[in-house]
Amino acid sequence: MEHYKNKELWFVTGSQHLYGEETLKQVDDDSRVIAKHLDSSEVILLRVVFKPVLTSSEAIHSLCQEANSSSSCVGLITWMHTFSPAKMWIHGLSILQKPFLHFHTQFNRDIPWKEIDMDFMNLNQSAHGGREFGFMVTRMRLNRKVVAGHWKDEKALLRIGTWARAAVAFDDARKLRIARFGDNMRDVAVTEGNKVSAHIRLHYSVHGYGVGDLVKEVEQVEDAAVKKLIDEYAETYQMDAGVKDTKFLHDAARIELGLQTFLEKGGFGGFTTTFEDLYGLPQLPGIAVQRLMDKGYGFGAEGDWKTAALVRSMKVMAEGLPGGTSFMEDYTYHLEPGNMAVLGAHMLEVCPSVAEEKPRLEIHPLSIGGKEDPPRLVFKAGPGKGLNASVVDLGNRFRMLVNTVEVIPCPDMPKLPVASVLWKPMPDLKTAAEAWIMGGGAHHTGFTKALNTEHLEDFAAMAGIEFFLIDENTTLAGLKDQIKLHEIYYLIAGGFR
Ligand code: MN
């Protein structure tokens, strides 16, 4: 788990001195037990580190300072074991720069009806203590996730684990660098956006390069490395005889190696290409993009840096989960009454992590670009639940749209040799397409079968961007109201604090 090792969540308990040393000792012991339980949970991938119980404004402030400067801490889990007067949280929370989750739990699961007394009450006050803390976070207009439930409740732990994945992706985004070869394609609007705003809000940075910079790296790749990579292709994928020795495949392997070296040297976690600008490259990178995505790089075609960053974050969140995550495009519709579906694909660049079977490596002409025939991996995704996500720049904010889908079996398409996914969008194609378009969603998305909507919602909340869900409960009337309300909210939200 590359992204998760060495990362921690800090378990932070609030209390106060009023209860006396003995109670605080018990609070401390109980907190250690809960922190240990969370730490050992299989659904929370990170280490959960116990931090001494906090009973003063100074201690909270210094804990928050420590969290801000720790490179291993990706977030805090706060718990109010007893009543913790929330004025003492103001100083600390006002400087906290890490995401936090309020775990609204109680040490005892059940009320011991026969034995319950005031001592029990001193130690089981989350019911009102958590509300005091919650008021302050709401009063300060801070983002946080609230999870209620007993600390042994697996569903509650799963929700914490989901948030933890988003916290790791958000931490990754703070250091994320996207390489952009060429500009965005022609006059496409939705792939554009304000990179400065993205840097401030979503933290990642976007760096532009001429394709010639990449070509230089590609030209330095040694023949032996190309040959070795082609052998790897032959072992990993289905391939017709004859493909192996083509110049097209050699050029593709050379591009992959050059591209990977370029990304590694620059510390990039994602990249974009554009078929409009291939100066000096013999072909549009196809299999190279597919395989680099499979290794965890984010990707956006046609200069789409927002989608490249989104795919990267989705891949970080999805690490170790079954299902796969890829760059995707709404390619074409099947509008048969009663059986409507969307064919998702791209010219070349779909990640083989979503493949149901061993992909086939094929070489076919591309009818645009006027370059060599690009090798690509051809496959289909297996059935099951999935989602598409898109981030668009609305001028005053970023909006993340998410649409849940049901992936269904895709018939053979012998004359369309691309990797593809066929899905039924929720609640139905017509409503989903109308809602998506009303919401300004892009044709490029991050597609995943590994994540659910809560991962994306938690991630959007951490970044403070708008979250816009289209699922089985969506109605067009409700959605139109939501759009209007959000416009008002984001117009004045900056003034709330
Ligand atoms: Mn496209």
Side-chain angles (χ1 to χ4, degrees), residues 185 275 301-302 327-329 345-347 349 443-444:
M185 188 186 72
F275 64 78
E302 293 124 26
F327 171 73
M328 189 57 64
E329 181 172 281
H346 207 257
M347 288 188 302
E349 310 95 335
H443 56 292
H444 285 169

